[in-house]
Structure formats: C-alpha cells, structure tokens
Amino acid sequence: GENVEQHPSTLSVQEGDSAVIKCTYSDSASNYFPWYKQELGKGPQLIIDIRSNVGEKKDQRIAVTLNKTAKHFSLHITETQPEDSAVYFCAAIPGGSYIPTFGRGTSLIVHP
Amino acid sequence: DSGVTQTPKHLITATGQRVTLRCSPRSGDLSVYWYQQSLDQGLQFLIQYYNGEERAKGNILERFSAQQFPDLHSELNLSSLELGDSALYFCASSLAGQGETEAFFGQGTRLTVV
C-alpha cells in the first residue's frame, strides 16, 4: 500500500520567514495530493491541493510543488504569520479510489 | 464552520462498552468518510460511504462498524472498547465518491476509554 513520509515533524520560524514542509510517497498510482491545516481543537481543513498533471500550484502565500519522478511534493508558505501556526498534513490518494494515506503531520510554530 | 456536524464532541466510557458517533454531512454531499486520529498513529482512514453504500475500507477494526442512512447521515459504532481506542474520531464529507474532490471535516469526537 501507499506510504507517505512527512518532514519535519516540527518547524519553528520567525514571523515573515518562509516555511517548507516536504512529503514523499511510494505508490506511483497516487495522483491527488491535498494539504490540510489543523488548528487546535478543530478538524483538518483543506488549504491547497495538486493533481499529478501539474507541477506547481499557488494560492496567495501558499504554494505546492510536485515531482512525480522523484515521488515527492512540498508545501511552501511565504511571509509566515502567527495565525499560520498549526499542524499541517499532506496526503496521497490513488486515482479512481478514495483511500487516502496521510503523513504524520508537521507542527508549524510562527513566532511573532 | 465546515458544515459537517459531529456529535457528541466528547465521550468518556469504560472498557468493554459500546458507543455510537454521529455525523451529519454538508448539505448535498453524498460521501461520508470516517477517520481516527491518535498521537501514535496519526490520521488513519477508517471507512467511506457513498449514497448509502460502503465504498472503501481502510484500517477499520472488526469491532467497529459504520452505516450511512437514507438521509445521508452516518454513524460509527465502536464496541468492546479498549483503552487503545481512545482517540479523536473525525467525519468528513464530499460531494463525489472519488478521492479527487475536496473533503470537509467536522470538528471531531474525542473518545476517552477508561
């Protein structure tokens, strides 16, 4: 089955810095890669996603890149703000089905 | 607010007992997914229902079962509870049955087994 590795487990940055979270996956059949943000006491919320026919996608301060050959994808947050502090999860989902495999999560702490 | 409602928010019960967690999906969503989140296992997919039918199964124990009713709400039944079942249980919903659509998560039910 699919295996998703996520690094780092904890990331501490100063406000205004950039943050990068990386994930690798094992199943070449995976073709949908969502990223979720989970704030304390809340459920995960989709913040950006990318499909296998796209190499990069941006949404304001957030971007995701995908390298299908190397089987890795990354989340980039620029100009971080304290409200970006949360746990971020990556996931990989095979085409035509719904059995997502999640990374273990990255706790992002943005210091004012 | 994601539009997905889960009840109860908190549940404390004893080992060996049985509990039912309830999920109301967003209006119009046909798919419901259940997840278990624990500190040591992360976020684990349990099961998916689409328009009343089981669509996909993940790491769901035999002691656990779920169903989706005609009004599309779903229930997750956990029986013969063990201490290790203590976790956050999330429900998510999406419009379509395939995985390549946005899933909206509820706020979760925190289950504590004592």
Side-chain angles (χ1 to χ4, degrees), chain B residues 20-102:
Chain B
T20 297
L21 312 184
R22 183 187 167 100
C23 170
S24 293
R26 287 191 324 152
S27 176
D29 284 356
L30 299 177
S31 266
V32 170
Y33 317 88
W34 286 98
Y35 293 86
Q36 180 190 59
Q37 186 176 41
S38 59
L39 282 174
D40 58 342
Q41 292 292 324
L43 198 60
Q44 298 284 321
F45 170 75
L46 296 178
I47 197 164
Q48 178 207 3
Y49 279 82
Y50 177 74
N51 204 21
E53 300 289 327
E54 181 183 305
R55 176 62 64 92
K57 229 172 189 179
N59 300 319
I60 188 166
L61 299 172
E62 286 191 11
R63 299 184 285 108
F64 296 0
S65 65
Q67 55 184 324
Q68 186 179 29
F69 295 87
D71 66 353
L72 300 177
H73 90 272
S74 178
E75 293 181 354
L76 179 67
N77 300 296
L78 315 175
S79 61
S80 303
L81 284 167
E82 301 174 0
L83 295 178
D85 297 327
S86 296
L88 265 170
Y89 291 85
F90 285 106
C91 165
S93 75
S94 70
L95 177 61
Q98 299 300 327
E100 299 169 25
T101 56
E102 181 173 358

Side-chain angles (χ1 to χ4, degrees), chain A residues 5 18 51:
Chain A
E5 301 281 342
S18 294
R51 288 172 170 75

Side-chain angles (χ1 to χ4, degrees), chain A residues 58-78:
Chain A
K58 285 184 180 179
D59 183 5
Q60 299 182 6
R61 296 185 297 109
I62 294 173
V64 57
T65 58
L66 171 65
N67 184 326
K68 281 215 74 180
T69 303
K71 294 196 184 72
H72 67 72
F73 55 114
S74 301
L75 177 71
H76 304 253
I77 305 174
T78 59

Side-chain angles (χ1 to χ4, degrees), chain B residues 2-20:
Chain B
S2 67
V4 178
T5 304
Q6 287 187 250
T7 57
K9 284 191 171 51
H10 302 276
L11 198 49
I12 301 175
T13 190
T15 54
Q17 295 299 304
R18 172 189 169 95
V19 297
T20 297

